[in-house]
Amino acid sequence: MIFDNDELARAIFFFGDKGLVAKEMHYSEFEAVLDNYVPSMEWAGRTAKAVFLEIDSKMRIRTCVFFTVGFTKKGEVEGSWNIPLDQLARNAIRGPDLGAGPIRLVCESQCPIQYFRGALWNPELRAGKNQLQMLTKAVVRNKLAIQFRDGPDAEIEAPSKAVDAQLLEKKISQELRKEYAREYRDHMAQLLKDQRLRTATIASDSDKSIASLKVEQSNRIEEYRSLINEKSNLLAEEKVRNQTLKDTIDGQAKKIEGLREYFEHKLEKVEGQGADVVQALRENYQAETTAKIESATIELKEMLQMREVELMYRNEQESQLRDEIARLRQEHQALLGSGGNEILGKMTGKGISFVSYQPGAGHITIPTDDVGAYMENPVAYAAAQCGVHEDHYSAWLAHYQAPVCTSVDSDGNICSENVHRVSNPADFHSGDQDRCSVHKEIKGASKLKVVSG
Protein backbone atom coordinates (compact mmCIF):
# COMPACT_ATOMS: atom_id res chain seq x y z
CA MET A 1 0.00 0.00 0.00
CA ILE A 2 1.38 3.44 -0.98
CA PHE A 3 1.04 6.58 1.19
CA ASP A 4 2.05 10.23 0.75
CA ASN A 5 5.41 11.31 2.20
CA ASP A 6 3.78 13.44 4.91
CA GLU A 7 1.06 10.83 5.68
CA LEU A 8 1.11 8.26 8.51
CA ALA A 9 0.51 4.63 7.57
CA ARG A 10 -1.87 2.75 9.92
CA ALA A 11 -1.61 -0.97 10.69
CA ILE A 12 -2.82 -3.60 13.20
CA PHE A 13 -0.42 -6.12 14.78
CA PHE A 14 -1.67 -9.18 16.76
CA PHE A 15 0.31 -10.89 19.56
CA GLY A 16 0.05 -14.64 20.16
CA ASP A 17 -0.04 -16.63 23.40
CA LYS A 18 3.77 -16.57 23.71
CA GLY A 19 3.93 -12.77 23.54
CA LEU A 20 5.30 -12.64 19.98
CA VAL A 21 3.92 -10.91 16.89
CA ALA A 22 1.56 -13.45 15.33
CA LYS A 23 -0.22 -11.53 12.57
CA GLU A 24 0.02 -8.17 10.73
CA MET A 25 -2.58 -6.38 8.60
CA HIS A 26 -3.36 -2.95 7.18
CA TYR A 27 -5.99 -0.93 9.02
CA SER A 28 -8.30 -1.21 6.00
CA GLU A 29 -8.11 -5.02 6.31
CA PHE A 30 -8.95 -4.75 10.02
CA GLU A 31 -12.01 -2.67 9.16
CA ALA A 32 -13.16 -5.53 6.90
CA VAL A 33 -12.69 -7.92 9.85
CA LEU A 34 -14.77 -5.58 12.06
CA ASP A 35 -17.55 -5.60 9.45
CA ASN A 36 -17.39 -9.45 9.51
CA TYR A 37 -16.60 -9.61 5.79
CA VAL A 38 -13.42 -11.60 6.51
CA PRO A 39 -13.70 -14.00 9.52
CA SER A 40 -10.52 -14.82 11.50
CA MET A 41 -10.84 -18.50 12.34
CA GLU A 42 -7.41 -18.62 14.06
CA TRP A 43 -8.90 -16.40 16.81
CA ALA A 44 -12.34 -18.10 16.97
CA GLY A 45 -13.75 -18.21 20.49
CA ARG A 46 -10.77 -16.27 21.91
CA THR A 47 -9.82 -12.76 22.96
CA ALA A 48 -6.83 -11.45 21.01
CA LYS A 49 -4.26 -8.87 22.12
CA ALA A 50 -3.68 -6.33 19.34
CA VAL A 51 -1.97 -2.96 18.85
CA PHE A 52 -2.89 -0.08 16.54
CA LEU A 53 0.21 1.59 14.99
CA GLU A 54 0.84 4.81 13.07
CA ILE A 55 4.08 4.71 11.02
CA ASP A 56 5.90 7.61 9.33
CA SER A 57 7.73 7.63 5.98
CA LYS A 58 11.01 6.51 7.61
CA MET A 59 9.34 3.35 8.98
CA ARG A 60 9.36 4.65 12.56
CA ILE A 61 6.51 4.13 15.02
CA ARG A 62 4.73 7.34 16.03
CA THR A 63 1.58 6.02 17.81
CA CYS A 64 0.74 2.80 19.73
CA VAL A 65 -2.71 1.82 21.09
CA PHE A 66 -2.72 -1.57 22.87
CA PHE A 67 -6.28 -3.00 22.84
CA THR A 68 -8.11 -6.34 23.02
CA VAL A 69 -10.73 -7.70 20.62
CA GLY A 70 -13.00 -10.71 21.25
CA PHE A 71 -14.05 -13.16 18.52
CA THR A 72 -17.04 -15.50 18.39
CA LYS A 73 -16.83 -19.22 17.61
CA LYS A 74 -17.38 -18.32 13.94
CA GLY A 75 -14.30 -16.10 13.88
CA GLU A 76 -16.34 -12.89 13.79
CA VAL A 77 -15.73 -9.86 16.02
CA GLU A 78 -18.14 -9.69 18.97
CA GLY A 79 -20.98 -7.25 18.40
CA SER A 80 -20.27 -5.38 21.66
CA TRP A 81 -16.76 -4.31 20.53
CA ASN A 82 -16.75 -0.50 20.18
CA ILE A 83 -13.26 0.87 20.97
CA PRO A 84 -12.66 4.27 19.22
CA LEU A 85 -9.02 3.77 18.16
CA ASP A 86 -8.78 7.13 16.36
CA GLN A 87 -10.09 9.05 19.38
CA LEU A 88 -7.70 7.25 21.76
CA ALA A 89 -4.76 7.92 19.39
CA ARG A 90 -5.59 11.64 19.21
CA ASN A 91 -5.67 11.90 23.02
CA ALA A 92 -2.64 9.65 23.63
CA ILE A 93 0.00 10.41 26.28
CA ARG A 94 3.74 10.70 25.58
CA GLY A 95 5.57 7.38 25.76
CA PRO A 96 9.12 6.05 25.20
CA ASP A 97 11.37 7.08 22.29
CA LEU A 98 11.39 4.46 19.51
CA GLY A 99 13.63 6.43 17.10
CA ALA A 100 11.45 9.42 16.15
CA GLY A 101 11.11 11.06 19.56
CA PRO A 102 8.56 10.14 22.24
CA ILE A 103 5.69 8.13 20.74
CA ARG A 104 2.02 8.62 21.58
CA LEU A 105 1.12 5.67 23.80
CA VAL A 106 -2.25 4.31 25.01
CA CYS A 107 -2.40 1.20 27.23
CA GLU A 108 -4.21 -0.03 30.35
CA SER A 109 -1.96 1.91 32.78
CA GLN A 110 -1.87 5.00 30.52
CA CYS A 111 -5.41 5.52 29.18
CA PRO A 112 -6.72 9.05 28.42
CA ILE A 113 -10.38 7.86 28.51
CA GLN A 114 -10.91 5.78 31.67
CA TYR A 115 -14.17 4.23 30.37
CA PHE A 116 -12.16 2.10 27.89
CA ARG A 117 -9.39 1.13 30.33
CA GLY A 118 -10.81 -2.39 30.82
CA ALA A 119 -10.53 -3.06 27.04
CA LEU A 120 -6.79 -2.23 26.94
CA TRP A 121 -3.65 -4.13 28.02
CA ASN A 122 -0.08 -3.30 29.11
CA PRO A 123 2.89 -4.30 26.90
CA GLU A 124 5.73 -6.40 28.28
CA LEU A 125 8.83 -4.19 28.82
CA ARG A 126 11.27 -6.64 30.42
CA ALA A 127 14.66 -7.16 28.78
CA GLY A 128 14.54 -9.91 26.18
CA LYS A 129 10.69 -9.77 26.01
CA ASN A 130 10.20 -6.06 25.27
CA GLN A 131 7.17 -5.97 22.99
CA LEU A 132 7.84 -2.35 21.92
CA GLN A 133 11.21 -3.49 20.54
CA MET A 134 9.44 -6.39 18.78
CA LEU A 135 7.06 -3.92 17.12
CA THR A 136 9.97 -1.70 16.02
CA LYS A 137 11.74 -4.65 14.39
CA ALA A 138 8.51 -5.88 12.76
CA VAL A 139 7.87 -2.43 11.25
CA VAL A 140 11.41 -2.29 9.85
CA ARG A 141 10.95 -5.76 8.28
CA ASN A 142 7.87 -4.29 6.54
CA LYS A 143 6.01 -7.51 5.72
CA LEU A 144 2.99 -5.36 4.84
CA ALA A 145 4.96 -3.74 1.97
CA ILE A 146 4.18 -0.19 3.12
CA GLN A 147 5.56 2.42 0.67
CA PHE A 148 5.71 6.22 0.68
CA ARG A 149 5.96 8.62 -2.26
CA ASP A 150 9.14 10.74 -2.44
CA GLY A 151 8.79 14.29 -1.12
CA PRO A 152 10.03 17.45 -2.85
CA ASP A 153 13.77 18.00 -2.64
CA ALA A 154 14.78 20.71 -0.25
CA GLU A 155 16.30 23.69 -1.89
CA ILE A 156 19.73 24.63 -0.71
CA GLU A 157 20.34 28.30 -0.68
CA ALA A 158 23.88 29.49 -1.13
CA PRO A 159 25.19 32.03 1.37
CA SER A 160 24.95 35.55 0.12
CA LYS A 161 28.38 36.53 1.44
CA ALA A 162 31.49 35.00 2.97
CA VAL A 163 31.63 34.42 6.70
CA ASP A 164 34.70 34.72 8.74
CA ALA A 165 36.03 31.22 9.58
CA GLN A 166 36.84 31.93 13.24
CA LEU A 167 33.40 33.46 13.96
CA LEU A 168 31.70 30.56 12.19
CA GLU A 169 33.67 28.01 14.19
CA LYS A 170 32.84 29.78 17.47
CA LYS A 171 29.15 29.98 16.57
CA ILE A 172 29.03 26.30 15.62
CA SER A 173 30.77 25.33 18.87
CA GLN A 174 28.23 27.27 20.94
CA GLU A 175 25.31 25.77 19.06
CA LEU A 176 26.73 22.28 19.48
CA ARG A 177 27.05 22.81 23.26
CA LYS A 178 23.47 24.03 23.47
CA GLU A 179 22.24 21.15 21.31
CA TYR A 180 24.15 18.61 23.38
CA ALA A 181 22.74 20.05 26.64
CA ARG A 182 19.20 20.05 25.23
CA GLU A 183 19.50 16.47 23.97
CA TYR A 184 20.93 15.40 27.32
CA ARG A 185 17.98 16.94 29.20
CA ASP A 186 15.49 15.39 26.77
CA HIS A 187 17.21 12.03 27.13
CA MET A 188 17.06 12.17 30.93
CA ALA A 189 13.40 13.24 30.84
CA GLN A 190 12.60 10.39 28.45
CA LEU A 191 14.37 7.87 30.71
CA LEU A 192 12.29 9.16 33.64
CA LYS A 193 9.05 8.73 31.64
CA ASP A 194 10.05 5.21 30.58
CA GLN A 195 10.69 4.32 34.21
CA ARG A 196 7.31 5.74 35.23
CA LEU A 197 5.62 3.65 32.51
CA ARG A 198 7.37 0.50 33.77
CA THR A 199 6.36 1.33 37.34
CA ALA A 200 2.73 1.89 36.31
CA THR A 201 2.72 -1.42 34.40
CA ILE A 202 4.13 -3.33 37.38
CA ALA A 203 1.63 -1.64 39.73
CA SER A 204 -1.26 -2.57 37.42
CA ASP A 205 -0.14 -6.21 37.30
CA SER A 206 0.21 -6.24 41.10
CA ASP A 207 -3.32 -4.83 41.53
CA LYS A 208 -4.71 -7.56 39.27
CA SER A 209 -2.89 -10.26 41.25
CA ILE A 210 -4.15 -8.85 44.57
CA ALA A 211 -7.73 -8.63 43.25
CA SER A 212 -7.53 -12.24 42.04
CA LEU A 213 -6.24 -13.39 45.44
CA LYS A 214 -9.02 -11.47 47.20
CA VAL A 215 -11.69 -13.12 45.03
CA GLU A 216 -10.13 -16.55 45.62
CA GLN A 217 -9.99 -15.92 49.38
CA SER A 218 -13.62 -14.76 49.42
CA ASN A 219 -14.75 -17.84 47.48
CA ARG A 220 -12.88 -20.13 49.87
CA ILE A 221 -14.41 -18.43 52.90
CA GLU A 222 -17.90 -18.84 51.37
CA GLU A 223 -17.20 -22.52 50.65
CA TYR A 224 -16.03 -23.10 54.22
CA ARG A 225 -19.03 -21.21 55.59
CA SER A 226 -21.42 -23.33 53.48
CA LEU A 227 -19.64 -26.52 54.56
CA ILE A 228 -19.89 -25.54 58.25
CA ASN A 229 -23.62 -24.77 57.88
CA GLU A 230 -24.22 -28.10 56.13
CA LYS A 231 -22.36 -30.05 58.83
CA SER A 232 -24.22 -28.13 61.55
CA ASN A 233 -27.58 -29.03 59.98
CA LEU A 234 -26.58 -32.70 59.69
CA LEU A 235 -25.42 -32.71 63.32
CA ALA A 236 -28.73 -31.21 64.46
CA GLU A 237 -30.68 -33.85 62.50
CA GLU A 238 -28.58 -36.65 64.01
CA LYS A 239 -29.18 -35.28 67.52
CA VAL A 240 -32.94 -35.26 66.93
CA ARG A 241 -32.84 -38.80 65.52
CA ASN A 242 -30.72 -40.09 68.42
CA GLN A 243 -33.06 -38.49 70.93
CA THR A 244 -36.03 -40.16 69.23
CA LEU A 245 -34.33 -43.57 69.32
CA LYS A 246 -33.31 -43.04 72.92
CA ASP A 247 -36.89 -42.27 73.91
CA THR A 248 -38.07 -45.41 72.07
CA ILE A 249 -35.45 -47.58 73.77
CA ASP A 250 -36.32 -46.11 77.18
CA GLY A 251 -39.96 -46.99 76.59
CA GLN A 252 -39.06 -50.55 75.60
CA ALA A 253 -36.80 -50.85 78.67
CA LYS A 254 -39.69 -49.78 80.90
CA LYS A 255 -41.90 -52.42 79.30
CA ILE A 256 -39.25 -55.09 79.83
CA GLU A 257 -38.78 -54.00 83.43
CA GLY A 258 -42.53 -54.34 83.98
CA LEU A 259 -42.46 -57.86 82.54
CA ARG A 260 -39.52 -58.75 84.73
CA GLU A 261 -41.40 -57.59 87.83
CA TYR A 262 -44.46 -59.53 86.72
CA PHE A 263 -42.60 -62.80 86.31
CA GLU A 264 -40.64 -62.32 89.51
CA HIS A 265 -43.95 -61.91 91.30
CA LYS A 266 -45.17 -65.15 89.75
CA LEU A 267 -41.96 -66.87 90.81
CA GLU A 268 -42.49 -65.79 94.39
CA LYS A 269 -45.95 -67.37 94.36
CA VAL A 270 -44.80 -70.71 93.07
CA GLU A 271 -41.57 -71.04 95.07
CA GLY A 272 -43.16 -73.75 97.20
CA GLN A 273 -44.29 -75.83 94.21
CA GLY A 274 -40.88 -77.32 93.60
CA ALA A 275 -37.69 -76.74 91.77
CA ASP A 276 -39.05 -78.13 88.46
CA VAL A 277 -41.85 -75.61 88.28
CA VAL A 278 -39.46 -72.81 89.20
CA GLN A 279 -37.02 -73.88 86.48
CA ALA A 280 -39.81 -74.05 83.94
CA LEU A 281 -40.99 -70.59 84.87
CA ARG A 282 -37.45 -69.26 84.64
CA GLU A 283 -37.01 -70.72 81.15
CA ASN A 284 -40.40 -69.35 80.12
CA TYR A 285 -39.41 -65.96 81.48
CA GLN A 286 -36.10 -65.96 79.60
CA ALA A 287 -37.81 -67.01 76.36
CA GLU A 288 -40.48 -64.30 76.61
CA THR A 289 -37.86 -61.68 77.51
CA THR A 290 -35.72 -62.66 74.50
CA ALA A 291 -38.78 -62.53 72.23
CA LYS A 292 -39.72 -59.08 73.52
CA ILE A 293 -36.17 -57.79 72.94
CA GLU A 294 -36.04 -59.23 69.43
CA SER A 295 -39.46 -57.73 68.65
CA ALA A 296 -38.35 -54.30 69.88
CA THR A 297 -35.10 -54.56 67.87
CA ILE A 298 -36.96 -55.49 64.67
CA GLU A 299 -39.40 -52.63 65.21
CA LEU A 300 -36.54 -50.15 65.59
CA LYS A 301 -34.81 -51.47 62.46
CA GLU A 302 -38.03 -51.14 60.49
CA MET A 303 -38.42 -47.55 61.69
CA LEU A 304 -34.84 -46.76 60.58
CA GLN A 305 -35.43 -48.36 57.17
CA MET A 306 -38.66 -46.39 56.73
CA ARG A 307 -36.83 -43.16 57.51
CA GLU A 308 -34.08 -44.03 55.03
CA VAL A 309 -36.67 -44.75 52.34
CA GLU A 310 -38.46 -41.47 53.09
CA LEU A 311 -35.15 -39.59 52.87
CA MET A 312 -34.29 -41.24 49.55
CA TYR A 313 -37.73 -40.44 48.14
CA ARG A 314 -37.44 -36.83 49.28
CA ASN A 315 -34.00 -36.52 47.61
CA GLU A 316 -35.43 -37.91 44.35
CA GLN A 317 -38.29 -35.40 44.50
CA GLU A 318 -35.84 -32.54 45.11
CA SER A 319 -33.70 -33.66 42.15
CA GLN A 320 -36.77 -33.83 39.90
CA LEU A 321 -37.88 -30.38 41.03
CA ARG A 322 -34.42 -28.95 40.33
CA ASP A 323 -34.42 -30.46 36.83
CA GLU A 324 -37.91 -29.06 36.21
CA ILE A 325 -36.82 -25.58 37.37
CA ALA A 326 -33.73 -25.71 35.12
CA ARG A 327 -35.89 -26.78 32.16
CA LEU A 328 -38.41 -23.98 32.78
CA ARG A 329 -35.58 -21.46 33.02
CA GLN A 330 -34.16 -22.65 29.72
CA GLU A 331 -37.59 -22.40 28.08
CA HIS A 332 -38.03 -18.93 29.55
CA GLN A 333 -34.60 -17.90 28.25
CA ALA A 334 -35.40 -19.34 24.82
CA LEU A 335 -38.69 -17.42 24.68
CA LEU A 336 -36.94 -14.21 25.65
CA GLY A 337 -34.20 -14.81 23.07
CA SER A 338 -36.55 -15.70 20.18
CA GLY A 339 -38.78 -12.70 20.83
CA GLY A 340 -36.17 -10.06 21.47
CA ASN A 341 -33.04 -11.08 19.55
CA GLU A 342 -34.36 -9.62 16.29
CA ILE A 343 -35.08 -6.20 17.87
CA LEU A 344 -31.84 -6.25 19.86
CA GLY A 345 -29.88 -7.21 16.75
CA LYS A 346 -31.37 -4.22 14.86
CA MET A 347 -30.52 -1.90 17.75
CA THR A 348 -26.95 -3.22 17.91
CA GLY A 349 -26.61 -2.79 14.14
CA LYS A 350 -27.56 0.87 14.57
CA GLY A 351 -24.67 1.33 16.99
CA ILE A 352 -26.69 1.16 20.23
CA SER A 353 -24.90 -0.47 23.18
CA PHE A 354 -26.57 -1.67 26.40
CA VAL A 355 -24.80 -0.29 29.46
CA SER A 356 -26.00 -0.78 33.05
CA TYR A 357 -24.63 0.56 36.27
CA GLN A 358 -24.48 -1.88 39.18
CA PRO A 359 -22.94 -1.09 42.59
CA GLY A 360 -19.56 -2.72 42.95
CA ALA A 361 -19.31 -3.56 39.21
CA GLY A 362 -19.63 -0.01 37.82
CA HIS A 363 -20.82 0.54 34.25
CA ILE A 364 -21.28 -2.85 32.53
CA THR A 365 -21.53 -3.16 28.75
CA ILE A 366 -24.07 -5.98 28.20
CA PRO A 367 -23.66 -8.09 25.03
CA THR A 368 -26.82 -8.84 23.07
CA ASP A 369 -26.67 -12.53 23.97
CA ASP A 370 -26.57 -11.70 27.72
CA VAL A 371 -29.57 -9.31 27.78
CA GLY A 372 -31.99 -12.12 28.65
CA ALA A 373 -29.80 -13.39 31.50
CA TYR A 374 -29.42 -9.84 32.82
CA MET A 375 -33.19 -9.18 32.73
CA GLU A 376 -33.91 -12.48 34.47
CA ASN A 377 -31.53 -11.80 37.39
CA PRO A 378 -29.56 -8.50 37.39
CA VAL A 379 -28.14 -9.26 40.83
CA ALA A 380 -26.66 -12.59 39.72
CA TYR A 381 -25.27 -10.93 36.57
CA ALA A 382 -23.60 -8.17 38.61
CA ALA A 383 -22.23 -10.76 41.07
CA ALA A 384 -20.66 -12.69 38.16
CA GLN A 385 -19.04 -9.46 36.89
CA CYS A 386 -17.54 -8.89 40.38
CA GLY A 387 -16.34 -12.53 40.60
CA VAL A 388 -18.37 -13.44 43.73
CA HIS A 389 -21.41 -15.59 44.54
CA GLU A 390 -24.90 -14.13 44.29
CA ASP A 391 -25.56 -14.57 48.04
CA HIS A 392 -22.26 -12.89 48.82
CA TYR A 393 -23.08 -9.98 46.50
CA SER A 394 -26.60 -9.59 47.96
CA ALA A 395 -25.18 -9.47 51.49
CA TRP A 396 -22.60 -6.87 50.39
CA LEU A 397 -25.29 -4.82 48.58
CA ALA A 398 -27.42 -4.64 51.74
CA HIS A 399 -24.33 -3.50 53.66
CA TYR A 400 -23.36 -1.00 50.93
CA GLN A 401 -26.82 0.61 50.89
CA ALA A 402 -27.06 0.76 54.72
CA PRO A 403 -23.62 0.39 56.42
CA VAL A 404 -24.85 -0.40 59.92
CA CYS A 405 -24.39 -3.29 62.36
CA THR A 406 -26.92 -6.04 61.55
CA SER A 407 -26.58 -7.98 64.80
CA VAL A 408 -29.98 -8.93 66.32
CA ASP A 409 -30.41 -9.34 70.07
CA SER A 410 -32.68 -11.80 71.87
CA ASP A 411 -35.64 -9.40 71.60
CA GLY A 412 -35.32 -9.14 67.80
CA ASN A 413 -33.87 -5.59 67.80
CA ILE A 414 -31.11 -4.64 65.34
CA CYS A 415 -27.97 -2.96 66.75
CA SER A 416 -27.87 -0.34 63.86
CA GLU A 417 -24.45 0.99 64.95
CA ASN A 418 -22.68 2.73 62.03
CA VAL A 419 -19.82 0.69 60.53
CA HIS A 420 -17.23 1.36 57.84
CA ARG A 421 -18.67 0.92 54.32
CA VAL A 422 -16.82 -1.65 52.13
CA SER A 423 -16.90 -0.46 48.50
CA ASN A 424 -15.59 -3.67 46.87
CA PRO A 425 -17.71 -6.88 47.08
CA ALA A 426 -14.57 -9.06 47.00
CA ASP A 427 -13.30 -7.39 50.22
CA PHE A 428 -16.59 -7.92 52.13
CA HIS A 429 -17.09 -10.75 54.65
CA SER A 430 -20.51 -11.26 56.21
CA GLY A 431 -20.42 -11.34 59.98
CA ASP A 432 -17.28 -9.17 60.08
CA GLN A 433 -17.52 -5.93 58.07
CA ASP A 434 -21.29 -5.66 58.71
CA ARG A 435 -20.87 -5.90 62.48
CA CYS A 436 -19.58 -3.37 65.02
CA SER A 437 -16.63 -4.23 67.23
CA VAL A 438 -18.96 -5.53 69.97
CA HIS A 439 -21.01 -7.96 67.82
CA LYS A 440 -18.42 -9.45 65.43
CA GLU A 441 -19.00 -13.19 64.94
CA ILE A 442 -15.25 -13.94 65.16
CA LYS A 443 -13.33 -11.98 67.78
CA GLY A 444 -10.02 -10.72 66.42
CA ALA A 445 -11.05 -11.59 62.84
CA SER A 446 -8.80 -8.83 61.52
CA LYS A 447 -5.77 -10.68 62.92
CA LEU A 448 -6.61 -14.05 61.31
CA LYS A 449 -4.51 -15.30 58.43
CA VAL A 450 -5.86 -17.49 55.60
CA VAL A 451 -3.46 -20.23 54.56
CA SER A 452 -4.00 -21.36 50.99
CA GLY A 453 -4.18 -25.10 50.41
Side-chain angles (χ1 to χ4, degrees):
M1 185 173 289
I2 302 175
F3 300 88
D4 293 335
N5 185 265
D6 57 350
E7 186 180 2
L8 293 177
R10 302 195 296 177
I12 302 294
F13 283 57
F14 289 86
F15 282 91
D17 297 333
K18 296 183 179 180
L20 303 177
V21 176
K23 188 174 182 180
E24 306 173 15
M25 63 174 62
H26 291 284
Y27 186 72
S28 58
E29 298 178 34
F30 183 66
E31 289 179 331
V33 173
L34 292 178
D35 293 334
N36 294 325
Y37 289 117
V38 182
S40 299
M41 298 307 300
E42 65 270 26
W43 301 106
R46 300 164 56 190
T47 298
K49 291 184 176 180
V51 55
F52 168 75
L53 299 180
E54 288 185 344
I55 307 168
D56 62 11
S57 59
K58 295 183 180 180
M59 304 305 294
R60 300 175 301 188
I61 298 175
R62 305 303 295 270
T63 304
C64 290
V65 179
F66 292 85
F67 65 96
T68 59
V69 54
F71 292 86
T72 64
K73 294 182 179 180
K74 296 181 180 179
E76 299 176 350
V77 177
E78 294 180 351
S80 60
W81 191 90
N82 60 347
I83 302 176
L85 297 178
D86 291 335
Q87 185 179 359
L88 291 175
R90 287 195 302 270
N91 295 276
I93 305 172
R94 288 164 61 92
D97 187 353
L98 298 183
I103 64 172
R104 295 186 297 176
L105 177 64
V106 178
C107 59
E108 182 182 6
S109 59
Q110 189 167 298
C111 180
I113 304 175
Q114 294 300 316
Y115 177 78
F116 297 103
R117 183 177 181 180
L120 305 180
W121 61 285
N122 287 322
E124 181 66 56
L125 301 177
R126 291 183 297 176
K129 296 183 179 180
N130 193 317
Q131 293 179 325
L132 290 177
Q133 297 294 337
M134 295 180 189
L135 290 172
T136 303
K137 294 178 181 179
V139 169
V140 173
R141 286 195 297 267
N142 196 17
K143 289 185 179 181
L144 297 177
I146 298 174
Q147 298 180 10
F148 293 87
R149 299 183 181 91
D150 295 333
D153 296 330
E155 297 182 357
I156 304 176
E157 297 181 358
S160 59
K161 58 182 178 178
V163 182
D164 184 76
Q166 293 181 354
L167 295 176
L168 181 60
E169 181 179 356
K170 184 178 180 181
K171 183 178 180 181
I172 292 174
S173 177
Q174 292 176 351
E175 291 179 353
L176 286 175
R177 288 192 184 96
K178 293 180 180 179
E179 182 67 20
Y180 176 77
R182 185 184 64 79
E183 290 184 357
Y184 179 76
R185 288 194 301 270
D186 292 345
H187 180 66
M188 293 302 295
Q190 189 60 45
L191 288 178
L192 181 60
K193 290 180 179 179
D194 292 348
Q195 190 64 30
R196 287 175 179 172
L197 177 60
R198 292 175 185 270
T199 303
T201 302
I202 294 173
S204 178
D205 294 340
S206 299
D207 292 340
K208 288 183 178 179
S209 300
I210 292 172
S212 177
L213 290 175
K214 286 183 177 179
V215 172
E216 182 179 357
Q217 178 188 6
S218 177
N219 291 337
R220 286 190 176 184
I221 291 175
E222 291 298 329
E223 290 177 1
Y224 293 153
R225 190 188 298 275
S226 299
L227 183 61
I228 290 172
N229 291 335
E230 181 181 355
K231 295 300 182 182
S232 299
N233 294 333
L234 291 176
L235 179 61
E237 292 179 359
E238 289 297 329
K239 287 182 177 179
V240 173
R241 183 178 299 175
N242 289 338
Q243 185 63 37
T244 302
L245 293 177
K246 183 179 178 181
D247 294 340
T248 303
I249 292 173
D250 290 342
Q252 296 295 333
K254 290 180 180 179
K255 291 182 179 179
I256 293 173
E257 184 65 24
L259 291 174
R260 180 182 290 121
E261 293 178 356
Y262 170 73
F263 283 108
E264 286 179 353
H265 181 68
K266 290 181 68 175
L267 285 173
E268 291 177 356
K269 289 184 177 180
V270 296
E271 279 183 353
Q273 297 179 3
D276 295 336
V277 177
V278 172
Q279 183 64 28
L281 290 175
R282 289 183 181 275
E283 292 177 354
N284 188 20
Y285 166 74
Q286 292 293 338
E288 290 186 1
T289 303
T290 303
K292 293 289 184 181
I293 294 174
E294 290 179 354
S295 176
T297 304
I298 294 173
E299 182 179 355
L300 292 175
K301 288 183 178 179
E302 290 178 352
M303 290 176 63
L304 290 175
Q305 291 177 354
M306 289 178 62
R307 290 188 177 274
E308 291 178 354
V309 171
E310 290 177 356
L311 181 61
M312 184 183 302
Y313 179 69
R314 185 181 64 183
N315 291 336
E316 291 179 356
Q317 285 184 330
E318 290 180 354
S319 177
Q320 293 176 0
L321 290 174
R322 291 194 189 97
D323 295 340
E324 182 66 18
I325 292 172
R327 184 182 65 79
L328 292 175
R329 285 181 176 174
Q330 291 177 357
E331 292 180 357
H332 179 65
Q333 187 68 23
L335 291 174
L336 287 177
S338 62
N341 279 344
E342 182 177 357
I343 297 176
L344 294 177
K346 291 181 179 180
M347 296 176 69
T348 304
K350 296 295 183 179
I352 298 175
S353 299
F354 299 94
V355 180
S356 173
Y357 176 81
Q358 294 293 334
H363 289 88
I364 306 172
T365 300
I366 306 173
T368 304
D369 296 337
D370 293 348
V371 170
Y374 173 81
M375 293 177 64
E376 181 179 358
N377 194 341
V379 175
Y381 193 87
Q385 294 295 318
C386 295
V388 298
H389 295 291
E390 180 180 357
D391 295 338
H392 181 96
Y393 180 81
S394 298
W396 169 84
L397 185 60
H399 160 78
Y400 182 80
Q401 293 174 347
V404 296
C405 178
T406 58
S407 176
V408 181
D409 58 16
S410 58
D411 296 331
N413 298 320
I414 299 178
C415 175
S416 299
E417 181 71 20
N418 291 332
V419 297
H420 176 69
R421 175 181 287 168
V422 179
S423 59
N424 187 0
D427 297 335
F428 175 75
H429 302 295
S430 180
D432 186 14
Q433 278 90 351
D434 59 349
R435 300 293 176 87
C436 62
S437 58
V438 178
H439 297 102
K440 287 185 179 293
E441 290 184 353
I442 302 177
K443 301 297 183 181
S446 59
K447 300 180 181 179
L448 294 178
K449 296 183 179 179
V450 178
V451 180
S452 59

